[in-house]
Each structure stands twice: as structure tokens, then as C-alpha cells.
Amino acid sequence: MKETQISFLRNIVGNKNICTNKEELLVYEYDATLLKGAPEVIVFPENTEQVSNILAFAYQEGIPVNTRGAGTNLSGGSIPDQGGIALVMTKMNKVLETDFKNGVVVVEPGVINQELQDYLIPHGYYYPPDPASMKACTIGGNIGECSGGPRCLKYGVTRDYVLGMEMVLGTGEVVVIGSKQQMNPDPLDLVKLMVGSEGTLGVFTKLFLKIKKIPEAKKTMLCTFNSVKDASKTVANIISRGIVPTTLEMMDNLLINCAEDFTGLGLDRNADALLLIEVDGFKEELDGQVQVIKEVCEKNYVKEFKIAQSAQEVDQLWTARRTVIGAVARKRPSYSLQDVTVPRNKLPDIVEAIVNISQKYNLPIGVLAHAGDGNLHPLVLFDERNKEEVKKVHEAEFNICKIALSLGGTLSGEHGIGLLKKPYLKQEFSPEVLKLKKQIMLAFDPKNILNPDKILEVGK
Amino acid sequence: MKETQISFLRNIVGNKNICTNKEELLVYEYDATLLKGAPEVIVFPENTEQVSNILAFAYQEGIPVNTRGAGTNLSGGSIPDQGGIALVMTKMNKVLETDFKNGVVVVEPGVINQELQDYLIPHGYYYPPDPASMKACTIGGNIGECSGGPRCLKYGVTRDYVLGMEMVLGTGEVVVIGSKQQMNPDPLDLVKLMVGSEGTLGVFTKLFLKIKKIPEAKKTMLCTFNSVKDASKTVANIISRGIVPTTLEMMDNLLINCAEDFTGLGLDRNADALLLIEVDGFKEELDGQVQVIKEVCEKNYVKEFKIAQSAQEVDQLWTARRTVIGAVARKRPSYSLQDVTVPRNKLPDIVEAIVNISQKYNLPIGVLAHAGDGNLHPLVLFDERNKEEVKKVHEAEFNICKIALSLGGTLSGEHGIGLLKKPYLKQEFSPEVLKLKKQIMLAFDPKNILNPDKILEVGK
């Protein structure tokens, strides 16, 4: 980018909201993958008008724009690999409106997921999507990726909570799509199209979200098994008994041990699988559900079935679950977190396949799963400095993706396509479908400046 | 259309699946609105290949194609007002696959909603969207309109139950979008875009739907009030107490009387409003909810609070609700059913405005509402033969739409835009948003042959 272009941007956002020095640019080279790519300038807009002016200028000049929040992205979507502008939305971080009567909140995209929860909880409300990174990730990023999380089994993913938005197109035009209405039948639904568009269609500036009343009560259960198969069957059987728990989280032996190393909670290091099950709702309905879940666990040879006895115990269990990804760092210096889905009853098949892949490539692979949704996060452990091993990691992951698709699953559950899964996209979608997606991208972003060549390459 | 074109279509579908005689064409002139428009030929495809060949031919020749199921449409969407082909999907009416383990069913678009329910119920499953016309309307039509229904308050609308589909584009190309997976994060979500696209983007040939276990128990309550305001406050208060009933249906005095005329159930003819409330779930949780609902009703001066005592009584109440639209025919020869939404707490405001409009135009207007969703169906009664009165009906309805938008609502809740609401669309969407929608339409249907000029006019 030319100095005159930087100056133009400086005039839009002011001196304090722009960075060009190398050290700072380096910080925005990363997301939570191993990929890298530095921007040429970092801009922190403070309002819609600034975003609109920035995009109108980028459109005129043909400058790539990579929009990002906290950069916790797991598929390379927030890597500015084509240089240009890193548009960091973290200064647009206000809750603008709350309407508890109608269950709606309006926020700016830079609000952190946990901050929104903290804001809502004292009023008796919450925002259901709860990605593992919720303490850091922004609502704008969650919408860009259509983030899930443990409790999405019962309550649905981000897509189910976005009613409408104000956004800026790739031309700088500001549009409002959808509305603040709960029943919101946008004919030719642009709102749902935006959720999971990974920054390729526009930049969100205001988000109209659906919120829910906090359930009256919950019960948290920890169940260990001698085999992943038994745990998987338990998952399927609970749901076929008509119970939809809030969460049905699974960890395999490798991850149980990582979690135990990190937390020292006394998790059973010999168990082959662990399920963290939570049910919520009215007080009266929970005991019956816990009873059925216990029966199902026993039928599937549960090793230990334990109900958390205090709020503190519940917190500890969830801390173990949420921190396990970081906890693997003690085993090997690098990890790569995959994200695929399979039909719920194919869980044992894919876990078996992952064990085989782990042996074939001689790589430890832990399995973490939102098991109720059939959404798996195989966690491949390796050493980034060993280039041979990195090559094996890519091969192993490509094989996991192919197996997920062959079992009737999808390439991604909640982490998006970004750069990481782009090479596999042709395995899931036909050329005609990819052509439709490209045409939609060009309708919103005619010069292909918005996160260009993420998800797919518009020019190809 | 030329005779050679008809012959070409005859070769595709065979003699028994094509009609061109005037009497039969007349039958396909209508939907459930007062609008009319005759097709030039009626074609009943039996499989995807035939649909693809028909559309490829229509694309080549530039022939308009109006796809329809049972024609229960309430916004003119299934009126072939530009002639051409009426593509009637009722012969593609098979349930193709069921996967109860993963809660998925695959159906052809001509399956009738009630037939799908009848198929699922013996297995302990159901498909939640339940439009009032469910005994006649097809799943393909439901998806085209993103149909709702009473129980969508708790369970969501059609959009929430479509996981993927096979469909034919406006070029004749067959594509598969989405998947049979519950957790289904299509990057740049084409599936949700199809739901509510009113036949303008493609023709569905196979639909992958999410199904649910039938809840263990339910309780149905009938509550009458001395004012619509009291009933509306009851609705808002129930939800703010953390209860989401399966249904929260409201009728005003005019409709209570129509329902009573028709059913003779003993409904209170003097009540100003009636709420039909249902809760479902586990047995243990229902009594507590009923108790809270009763308390809320009492605080809002309920006239009578009654719990249905038998399955037969429940059926009777629902029959009264589902048949009330037809029942108004006894009052005046014609009716027009509107469909708007407002934020839930604005229900009293819009009902008051409707009373004023009714007086101003001297037209009886009944109010039926999925009150929990803020989705109203004002029912304007008149005589179609009186042209002056028809003009007044249009003015009255336009005013209702304008008021809904001014209260923060939407032009349509579940009946779509079609032809009927097209003139109002510019009130809800900006030119930039309409342009995006048009570009998407052209990506799927480059020659604008699929239900042309429904929702909006691509050429303008």
C-alpha cells in the first residue's frame, strides 16, 4: 500500500486508531491456527461511518480487507494473507440496546461473547452460543464463523440467534437486513447467508441477537467408560429416549489425561472415554432425565456415573473441558485442532478410523467431541519444527476429512473453512454449487476485496 | 406456448402427466388468495430427471415456470400469472428415507405435511412446522414459503428443519446443497436461502428434514379475557416468566363467534379475546408450568381458565382454531387473510390500530394471532362482487402493513410476499438490499424463468 493510501485511512479513523509499525503488524499475522500472513496496515474503526468510508476507499483502490475480532479463528479466516488492511473491530464493543420483553439485544461486533453473557446474566438472560474461546472471542467473529459450542446441542448454533444486522458491503454501502423481530422471515434470507460467511460478504456493524431466559435449574453429570464405543452408544441412546441434554461432550483417554495433568481434579486416567452431560430446564423435570441418563449409561457399561454436587464442582468440570485444548501443550509443542461432523450414530466408526490414522502416521491424536451433534475435534499433537511431521499432520487431517465425508458428514462443524479447509472444499461441494457461492460473493463484494480467497477463490 | 413446445414437454413426462385443456387449466389459476392467472400447460413430473429436462427446456426457450404443490398459498406465489408452465409437484410424494437414529427424514416435495406426520407418529417422531393448512399443503410449498404454524413459538419455523436438499436450478442443472447432518454449517448458507425463496431460485426434488421425538406429555388450556389488552399482557408475562409454551394462539371476539357458529363447542361469545395455550415436555414439568400460566392469567383478569380434560377436548379446541378461517365465510362471502408481525409487546398497539382501521373503512376485521411470536393474521371480511369494498380492503390492508412496520415488525410472518405484498416491499427493504436479492435470483435463475416477478421484479 502507498503512503497516500495510509494517510487517507488515517484521516478516516484518526491517528490513535491506525498502526503501521512492523512490531504491531506482526501481532496481527496470526490466528489460532499455525498459518501466518501480515497486513500492511491495522485500522480500528469506532463507528459505522468509519467502516463505510474505509470500505468505500478500499473498493475504489482495490485494497484487500481482512476483518477480524479477537483472532481466535481456527481455520485461518482472520489471517490477512494478501496484505492490505486488517480491519480490527474490537473498539466497536458496546451493547447498544436491550429489549428483554421481546428477548432481543443489539450489540456492536467487537463485544466479547463472555462480556455479553456477563451483561445479560444479572437480568436473568443469556446468549446460548458458547464457543470454547468465549472468554476472548467476539460476537462478530462468532457470526462470521457460525460458531457452535457445547450447549448448541439443545439450543442451536449462532445462526439460530441472529435476527438481523446493519452491515457494510464491499462497496462501502451500508445496509440493514432482517429485523429485530423473533419471527423473521426475510424472503430470500440474507441474514442467515451472512452467518458463516467468514468476512467475505460484508462487515457487520450492528447485530440484532435473540437472547433467552436462563433456565431455572441444571444438573451436570460426569460419566466414564471403558470404550469410546460404549460412550458413543450412550450418546445415541440418550437422544433416542427423547432427552436432549444441554451438552453431551466427549473426551478420549489422551485428553482425559491432558485435562487431569492440568487440573488435578481426579479424573480417571484409565478411562477410555468421558462424557460431560448437562441437562437444564424446570427443577421438576431434571430428576427424571438424570434417572433415564443413568439407566442408559448403566446399560452401556458405565465405569463411573457421578452427579456434580455443587456449583464449584460444575465449574471445575467445565474448566477441565474448556482448557483441555491448551492443556495438550504439555505433551507436544504443537497441536492442530480439526473440526468435522458425522451422523451421530457414526461416531464409533470415525473414532476407530482416527485411531488407525494415528497409528499409521505415528502421531498422537486426541478426540474431543460435541458428541450429541456428531461434531468432532480431533486434536493432532506434533512438533512444528519437524517439517516431516508437519507433512504427516496434513495428510492425517486430510484423511480424517475424507472419512467424515464418506460417512455422510461435513468438512466443518463450527470452525469454518477459511484457508485451512479450502483445498478440501471440492470434496464436499460440486462445481455448480461453488459457482453459486462465488456469484453470491460477487453480489456483495463486486471487486472481491473482502477477505479475498477465503472459503474459495472467486477468480478461479 | 407453441404446439411444438408442448410436444417436447409431453415427451419428457408422458401423456398422462400433462394437461392443456381449458377446464383443467382453470383449476390451476388459483391459490388461496383472490388472485388469478392461468398457465398454458400443466406438467406433473415424476422424478428429478424429468424436472431437470423440463427446466433445461424452459431455460432454452425462455418459458416461465410456476412451481406449486397443493396451491394453499396465501400470497399469490403459486399463481402462474405469466402463463407458461405450471409445474405441479404432487406426484413426487414419497418418503424416501428415514433415519430415526439421527433424526432425519428425506422426502419428495409433494408429500403432504399431515401425511408426513402420519408416517412419523407411529415411530414416536414428528415434524414440528404445522401450518393451519397442514392437511392439504405440501412440504415443498412449506419450504418455499418458510411456513410457520401454532407450535413454531417453541419449535421454530420451517427454516429450522431443513438440513439440505437436491434441487434443480433455472438452467436445469441438478445440485445438492447442505447435507443430512443435524449440525450443518454450509459456508455461505445456500440451504437457508432456499427456504422462503417462493419458487424463484430453483425446484426442490429431495428434501432432507430434521424431525423430533414426540414429547412425552402435553396440557392444553383455554383462557378467555374481557379485553385483547389483557390477553396480550398475559402472553408477554408468560414468556417473561421463563415459560415457552408450544402454542400461544389468540382469537378476538369476532373470530370466537365465527368459531362458535361453526363448532358449537360452547365458547364464550361475550369474551373479547381467547388464548389457546399448550405446553409440552416431560410429565413432571407440566403442572408447574400450568400453575404459573394460571397465576399470570389471573393477574391479568382472566374471565375463564380451563384445562382440557381429554384428548377429544384438545382435538375439538384445535379444530375450532384450525377451521376458524373457513368459518368466517358464514359472515361475509369473501375474506382476505393478512400476515404481519410486530414485537410481542406491541400486540395491544396493533390490535387497537386494527380496530380503528375496521371502523374507518367500515369493514369487519377479525384478529387471529400466533401471539407468542407477535405474528398476526387480521382477517378482513367483505364481498368480492362489490368493487368499492374491494378497493377499501386493499387500503385497509396496506394501512395494517404500514403500522406493523412502524411498530418495528415485518410485512410477512409466514405467508410470504408472492404477488400480494410485492407492492409494499420497498417499505421494508432498501434499494441496496433489493438489488442484492435480485442478483442472488439471477445467480440461480439467469433467465428469470422461475416464478418470474414474484417477491420482486428482477428486471426493474
Side-chain angles (χ1 to χ4, degrees):
Chain A
M1 285 175 64
K2 291 174 231 152
E3 198 45 55
T4 52
Q5 291 175 325
I6 306 276
S7 294
F8 194 95
L9 294 173
R10 193 181 304 273
N11 281 335
I12 295 172
V13 294
N15 215 19
K16 66 176 174 167
N17 289 328
I18 190 162
C19 292
T20 51
N21 78 58
K22 278 216 170 142
E23 293 69 28
E24 283 169 306
L25 292 177
L26 275 178
V27 178
Y28 289 88
E29 245 187 20
Y30 299 93
D31 62 5
T33 61
L34 301 173
L35 303 167
K36 275 188 216 170
E40 293 166 81
V41 58
I42 312 162
V43 177
F44 300 87
E46 289 187 331
N47 55 52
T48 304
E49 197 191 341
Q50 290 182 356
V51 175
S52 169
N53 289 338
I54 294 164
L55 291 200
F57 180 65
Y59 176 69
Q60 178 196 300
E61 306 281 306
I63 305 167
V65 179
N66 180 268
T67 311
R68 59 176 271 159
T72 57
N73 191 292
L74 284 156
S75 57
S78 41
I79 303 289
D81 63 325
Q82 305 204 0
I85 301 167
L87 190 68
V88 186
M89 303 303 288
T90 48
K91 289 198 177 177
M92 290 180 68
N93 61 354
K94 284 185 286 302
V95 176
L96 298 173
E97 263 180 71
T98 44
D99 177 358
F100 293 115
K101 278 194 181 146
N102 294 300
V104 179
V105 64
V106 179
V107 304
E108 289 184 319
V111 170
I112 289 171
N113 183 303
Q114 184 67 52
E115 282 176 1
L116 176 58
Q117 313 291 354
D118 292 343
Y119 177 87
L120 295 171
I121 289 166
H123 300 276
Y125 284 80
Y126 77 120
Y127 171 72
D130 60 340
S133 58
M134 66 195 289
K135 286 195 177 159
C137 62
T138 63
I139 296 293
N142 293 174
I143 295 176
E145 301 299 318
C146 192
S147 300
R151 63 189 173 212
C152 291
L153 171 60
K154 181 167 180 179
Y155 291 108
V157 293
T158 297
R159 184 197 295 122
D160 302 310
Y161 292 89
V162 185
L163 301 170
M165 61 182 65
E166 179 193 84
M167 59 178 271
V168 184
L169 304 179
T171 54
E173 284 169 297
V174 180
V175 297
V176 174
I177 57 176
S179 74
K180 294 171 198 165
Q181 272 294 83
Q182 292 276 356
M183 192 165 192
N184 193 334
D186 192 1
L188 303 171
D189 195 335
L190 302 185
V191 179
K192 305 300 174 197
L193 190 59
M194 292 308 301
V195 185
S197 60
E198 305 190 20
T200 65
L201 301 185
V203 178
F204 316 142
T205 46
K206 283 180 194 156
L207 299 158
F208 314 152
L209 307 176
K210 184 173 159 177
I211 52 176
K212 285 181 87 82
K213 282 283 277 187
I214 297 172
E216 189 178 86
K218 66 177 176 182
K219 295 259 184 191
T220 308
M221 290 152 271
L222 182 77
C223 324
T224 51
F225 295 85
N226 285 317
S227 80
V228 169
K229 201 164 188 170
D230 289 343
S232 304
K233 277 176 75 179
T234 302
V235 168
N237 294 351
I238 288 170
I239 292 174
S240 70
R241 288 287 293 268
I243 294 175
V244 182
T246 320
T247 71
L248 260 175
E249 297 285 299
M250 195 194 289
M251 284 188 210
D252 71 355
N253 178 272
L254 176 66
L255 296 187
I256 294 169
N257 278 285
C258 290
E260 184 55 22
D261 288 346
F262 189 68
T263 63
L265 280 175
L267 301 175
D268 179 356
R269 290 184 179 276
N270 297 316
D272 250 24
L274 172 157
L275 289 180
L276 185 56
I277 308 177
E278 202 162 270
V279 290
D280 68 13
F282 295 99
K283 271 188 213 122
E284 301 80 11
E285 65 176 306
L286 299 187
D287 286 342
Q289 291 181 53
V290 169
Q291 195 49 42
V292 172
I293 291 169
K294 193 173 173 218
E295 274 168 35
V296 170
C297 285
E298 282 165 357
K299 262 195 192 150
N300 289 299
Y301 317 107
V302 69
K303 246 186 124 181
E304 191 188 16
F305 177 90
K306 200 177 137 186
I307 303 171
Q309 295 301 325
S310 66
Q312 193 200 1
E313 209 177 321
V314 171
D315 277 352
Q316 285 172 337
L317 289 175
W318 279 109
T319 300
R321 163 61 188 84
R322 290 195 189 277
T323 55
V324 69
I325 295 170
V328 300
R330 297 184 174 206
K331 294 264 178 212
R332 298 295 308 274
S334 322
Y335 68 80
S336 176
L337 186 67
Q338 260 299 325
D339 166 46
V340 293
T341 79
V342 293
R344 198 187 296 133
N345 68 334
K346 303 286 186 194
L347 272 176
D349 305 69
I350 191 152
V351 172
E352 195 183 324
I354 290 170
V355 170
N356 292 337
I357 290 169
S358 168
Q359 285 163 355
K360 180 178 170 191
Y361 292 98
N362 192 26
L363 287 167
I365 307 181
V367 175
L368 187 68
H370 304 308
D373 286 315
N375 182 203
L376 279 91
H377 296 315
L379 197 62
V380 188
L381 309 189
F382 62 104
D383 185 340
E384 199 180 350
R385 295 161 298 187
N386 178 341
K387 294 303 154 203
E388 263 314 293
E389 207 169 67
V390 172
K391 217 178 120 195
K392 288 200 294 178
V393 172
H394 290 312
E395 279 178 35
E397 292 194 323
F398 184 52
N399 280 323
I400 293 172
C401 287
K402 277 205 294 193
I403 288 161
L405 291 177
S406 75
L407 291 169
T410 62
L411 272 179
S412 166
E414 52 184 6
H415 297 173
I417 300 299
L419 287 171
L420 210 59
K421 296 252 169 121
K422 209 171 71 169
Y424 315 156
L425 210 65
K426 285 182 186 162
Q427 311 273 334
E428 185 170 345
F429 299 103
S430 70
E432 292 78 18
V433 170
L434 293 177
K435 190 179 149 206
L436 288 172
K437 290 180 193 270
K438 285 178 195 176
Q439 286 176 282
I440 290 173
M441 281 169 153
L442 286 172
F444 283 78
D445 175 26
K447 281 195 184 169
N448 189 27
I449 58 167
L450 293 178
N451 218 2
D453 301 344
K454 299 289 167 61
I455 304 180
L456 47 80
E457 286 172 33
V458 171
K460 287 185 189 169
Chain B
M1 286 176 64
K2 291 175 232 153
E3 198 45 54
T4 51
Q5 291 175 325
I6 306 276
S7 294
F8 194 94
L9 294 172
R10 193 182 304 274
N11 281 335
I12 296 172
V13 294
N15 214 18
K16 66 176 173 160
N17 289 329
I18 190 163
C19 292
T20 52
N21 78 58
K22 278 214 169 144
E23 292 70 29
E24 283 168 306
L25 293 178
L26 276 178
V27 178
Y28 289 89
E29 247 187 18
Y30 300 93
D31 64 5
T33 61
L34 300 172
L35 302 166
K36 275 186 215 171
E40 293 167 81
V41 57
I42 311 162
V43 177
F44 300 87
E46 289 186 331
N47 55 53
T48 304
E49 196 190 342
Q50 290 181 357
V51 175
S52 169
N53 290 337
I54 293 164
L55 291 200
F57 181 65
Y59 176 70
Q60 179 195 302
E61 306 282 307
I63 305 168
V65 179
N66 179 268
T67 312
R68 59 176 271 159
T72 56
N73 191 291
L74 284 156
S75 58
S78 40
I79 302 287
D81 65 324
Q82 304 205 1
I85 301 166
L87 190 68
V88 186
M89 303 304 287
T90 48
K91 288 197 176 179
M92 290 180 68
N93 60 355
K94 285 185 284 301
V95 175
L96 297 172
E97 264 180 70
T98 45
D99 177 357
F100 293 115
K101 276 191 183 149
N102 294 300
V104 179
V105 64
V106 179
V107 303
E108 289 183 320
V111 170
I112 290 171
N113 183 303
Q114 185 65 53
E115 283 176 1
L116 177 59
Q117 312 292 354
D118 293 343
Y119 176 87
L120 296 171
I121 289 167
H123 300 277
Y125 284 80
Y126 77 120
Y127 171 71
D130 61 341
S133 58
M134 65 195 289
K135 287 196 176 156
C137 63
T138 63
I139 296 293
N142 293 173
I143 295 175
E145 302 298 317
C146 190
S147 299
R151 64 190 173 212
C152 291
L153 171 60
K154 181 166 179 178
Y155 292 109
V157 294
T158 298
R159 185 198 293 124
D160 302 310
Y161 292 89
V162 185
L163 301 172
M165 61 182 65
E166 178 192 85
M167 59 177 271
V168 184
L169 304 179
T171 53
E173 284 170 297
V174 181
V175 297
V176 174
I177 57 176
S179 74
K180 294 171 198 165
Q181 271 293 82
Q182 293 276 356
M183 192 163 190
N184 193 335
D186 191 1
L188 303 173
D189 194 336
L190 302 185
V191 179
K192 305 299 175 197
L193 191 59
M194 292 307 300
V195 185
S197 60
E198 305 191 19
T200 64
L201 300 185
V203 178
F204 316 141
T205 47
K206 282 179 196 159
L207 299 157
F208 314 153
L209 307 176
K210 183 172 159 178
I211 52 175
K212 284 181 87 82
K213 281 284 275 189
I214 297 172
E216 189 179 85
K218 66 177 174 183
K219 294 259 183 191
T220 308
M221 290 152 271
L222 182 76
C223 324
T224 51
F225 294 86
N226 285 317
S227 80
V228 169
K229 201 163 187 169
D230 290 343
S232 303
K233 277 176 74 179
T234 303
V235 168
N237 294 351
I238 289 170
I239 292 173
S240 70
R241 288 287 294 268
I243 294 174
V244 183
T246 321
T247 71
L248 259 175
E249 296 286 297
M250 193 194 291
M251 284 188 211
D252 70 356
N253 178 272
L254 176 66
L255 295 187
I256 294 169
N257 278 285
C258 290
E260 183 55 22
D261 289 346
F262 189 69
T263 62
L265 280 176
L267 301 175
D268 179 355
R269 289 183 179 277
N270 297 316
D272 250 25
L274 173 157
L275 288 179
L276 185 56
I277 309 177
E278 203 161 89
V279 290
D280 67 12
F282 295 100
K283 271 189 213 120
E284 300 80 11
E285 65 175 306
L286 299 188
D287 286 342
Q289 291 182 53
V290 168
Q291 194 49 43
V292 172
I293 291 169
K294 194 172 173 219
E295 273 167 36
V296 170
C297 285
E298 282 164 359
K299 262 195 194 151
N300 289 298
Y301 317 107
V302 69
K303 246 186 121 179
E304 191 188 16
F305 178 89
K306 202 177 136 186
I307 302 171
Q309 295 302 325
S310 65
Q312 194 200 359
E313 210 177 322
V314 171
D315 277 353
Q316 285 171 339
L317 290 175
W318 279 108
T319 301
R321 164 62 188 83
R322 288 195 190 279
T323 55
V324 69
I325 294 171
V328 300
R330 297 184 174 207
K331 293 263 178 217
R332 298 295 308 273
S334 321
Y335 68 81
S336 176
L337 185 68
Q338 259 299 326
D339 166 45
V340 292
T341 79
V342 292
R344 199 186 295 134
N345 67 335
K346 302 288 186 194
L347 272 175
D349 306 69
I350 192 153
V351 172
E352 195 182 325
I354 290 170
V355 170
N356 291 338
I357 289 169
S358 169
Q359 284 164 354
K360 180 178 170 192
Y361 291 99
N362 193 25
L363 288 167
I365 307 182
V367 175
L368 187 70
H370 305 308
D373 286 316
N375 182 203
L376 279 92
H377 296 315
L379 198 62
V380 188
L381 309 189
F382 63 104
D383 185 340
E384 199 180 349
R385 294 160 300 187
N386 179 340
K387 295 301 156 204
E388 264 313 295
E389 207 168 67
V390 171
K391 218 179 118 193
K392 288 201 293 179
V393 172
H394 290 312
E395 279 178 33
E397 293 193 322
F398 185 51
N399 280 323
I400 292 172
C401 287
K402 277 205 294 193
I403 289 162
L405 291 178
S406 74
L407 291 169
T410 63
L411 272 179
S412 166
E414 53 185 4
H415 297 172
I417 300 298
L419 288 171
L420 211 59
K421 297 254 170 119
K422 209 173 70 170
Y424 314 156
L425 210 65
K426 284 181 187 162
Q427 310 275 334
E428 185 169 344
F429 299 104
S430 70
E432 292 76 19
V433 170
L434 293 177
K435 189 178 149 205
L436 288 172
K437 291 182 193 268
K438 285 179 193 176
Q439 285 176 284
I440 290 172
M441 281 171 153
L442 286 173
F444 283 80
D445 174 26
K447 281 196 185 169
N448 189 28
I449 58 166
L450 293 179
N451 219 2
D453 301 343
K454 300 290 167 61
I455 304 180
L456 48 80
E457 286 171 32
V458 170
K460 287 185 190 171

